[in-house]
Amino acid sequence: MTINNNYLNLKDSYLFSTIAKKVREYSSQNPNAKIIRMGIGDVTRPLVPAVISAMQNAVVDMSKAETFKGYGDEQGYGFLQTAVKGYYAKKGVPLELNEIFIGDGAKSDLGNILDIFGTENAVLIPDPVYPVYVDTNIMHGRKIVFMNGNLGNGFLPMPIELNKTKADIIYLCSPNNPTGAVYTKAQLAEWVSYAKKHNAVILFDSAYEAFVTDKTLPTSIFEIKGAADCAIEFCSLSKTAGFTGTRCGYTVVPNALKNGDISINKLWLRRQTTKFNGVSYVVQRGAEAVFSDEGLAQITKDIEYYLGNAKIIASTLDELGIAYTGGNNSPYIWLKIPNSNDSWAFFDMLLEKAQIVGTPGAGFGASGEGHFRFSAFGQRENVIEAMERLKQILK
Ligand code: PLP
């Protein structure tokens, strides 16, 4: 046999394992230290009651022959597609049910979608960004071009910055992980126009859309005219409703998206029906409940809680005169490290002097160096205490 040699081109991912190792070492040397973790992007609030009771009812369905479910449709149950369709309709985005594919989260679909695109495509990836886009393309051996985010462009690179670089597959993540920056409608319209002009496809990751509270900002690329001809959207209930461990997401592949006569929707359906056997019935019932009036009201409270944490972090940085993006409309705060360009040194300093754990920007790409990410997914009292400690060491 031979192997896929592209895998040998992957860099080891040291980010979270190095953080964990450093924290372990510090704890063993300082057993009484109260370490506050503001690094990892996992949620801390439990599933909301509407979801729990829907899942409990679904478990009962599975216990009776009349309501038991075996294999479901690979692309999801109609009841959940209908709930997602209703959610998009409220944003003013009409969808057909067959455009909505239910999956086990955005990470899988973001990686798997690459099956249906040629390996000769040039891929455009913002830097810094969620590292999965880079690694999944390296696995296929595609050429990657990075577009740099920086304080100058607000970590929102635009097509004009590409000069003559050509891109066939364009990743956009808004609200962005790690920077928390959110594209405006006018900015997304420029990307849509670029994609249409160059016959490119935009892979739009809206995993954090539920954190957008500013009504003028888009939460879906399909709010932009013409996007259905050139974009695919990936979303997830992980951060929206605490499904990081429960696993459910959805991908929207418009019927209008074509390459010549070939329907991208049909290719994705073929891929999914061949390689995927659907998300469990119980989880899909839980996901359906997220979109009920009761579910939406309950998850909104949790999102407000996280955004409240983000506000506390942001106002502390304001007080300290530290530049940052995010914090509004996003659970991440991305700060410019004062007087240094070494994000691992800043990590070590915060751990040593304040027992706070964050994420060094270098872990999200070369342009992330000199920056640092705080996540707002922690518990309120811990966030408050961490920010008090930060003020003491940085004032
Ligand atoms: N996209 C972004 C930008 C993320 O930050 C994450 C998770 O952290 C994901 C996708 C993956 O989410 P899921 O849990 O749905 O696989």
Side-chain angles (χ1 to χ4, degrees), residues 308-322:
N309 288 344
K311 208 174 231 165
I312 292 166
I313 301 168
S315 65
T316 306
L317 296 178
D318 284 336
E319 218 177 303
L320 292 168
I322 295 175

Side-chain angles (χ1 to χ4, degrees), residues 65-222:
E66 315 84 73
T67 46
F68 168 77
K69 301 276 188 275
Y71 289 121
D73 285 343
E74 292 88 347
Q75 61 272 41
Y77 283 104
F79 61 77
L80 180 51
Q81 290 171 310
T82 304
V84 173
K85 180 179 152 102
Y87 186 62
Y88 273 81
K90 284 190 205 150
K91 302 175 191 238
V93 176
L95 294 179
E96 300 293 331
L97 289 187
N98 82 319
E99 296 177 309
I100 302 164
F101 293 81
I102 306 301
D104 63 358
K107 188 183 195 176
S108 327
D109 281 8
L110 280 160
N112 293 334
I113 197 80
L114 295 171
D115 276 10
I116 66 171
F117 294 110
T119 48
E120 60 286 353
N121 285 302
V123 182
L124 194 65
I125 301 184
D127 177 12
V129 87
Y130 181 53
V132 167
Y133 313 152
V134 174
D135 285 353
T136 49
N137 277 289
I138 291 177
M139 286 172 179
H140 284 233
R142 283 194 193 83
K143 183 171 167 251
I144 299 173
V145 180
F146 291 100
M147 42 182 187
N148 292 340
N150 48 53
L151 281 175
N153 60 18
F155 291 95
L156 296 167
M158 295 298 296
I160 197 165
E161 295 164 46
L162 289 175
N163 297 319
K164 293 223 158 52
T165 310
K166 188 179 167 323
D168 306 305
I169 299 176
I170 300 162
Y171 286 83
L172 297 179
C173 177
S174 177
N176 184 279
N177 176 13
T179 69
V182 187
Y183 279 110
T184 63
K185 284 185 187 167
Q187 288 172 321
L188 285 186
E190 284 187 44
W191 277 113
V192 166
S193 133
Y194 175 94
K196 285 172 77 113
K197 189 164 157 210
H198 295 87
N199 191 29
V201 63
I202 296 173
L203 304 183
F204 190 77
D205 184 345
S206 64
Y208 297 95
E209 60 86 28
F211 290 81
V212 174
T213 50
D214 177 343
K215 297 272 180 276
T216 66
L217 292 171
T219 58
S220 162
I221 185 120
F222 300 121

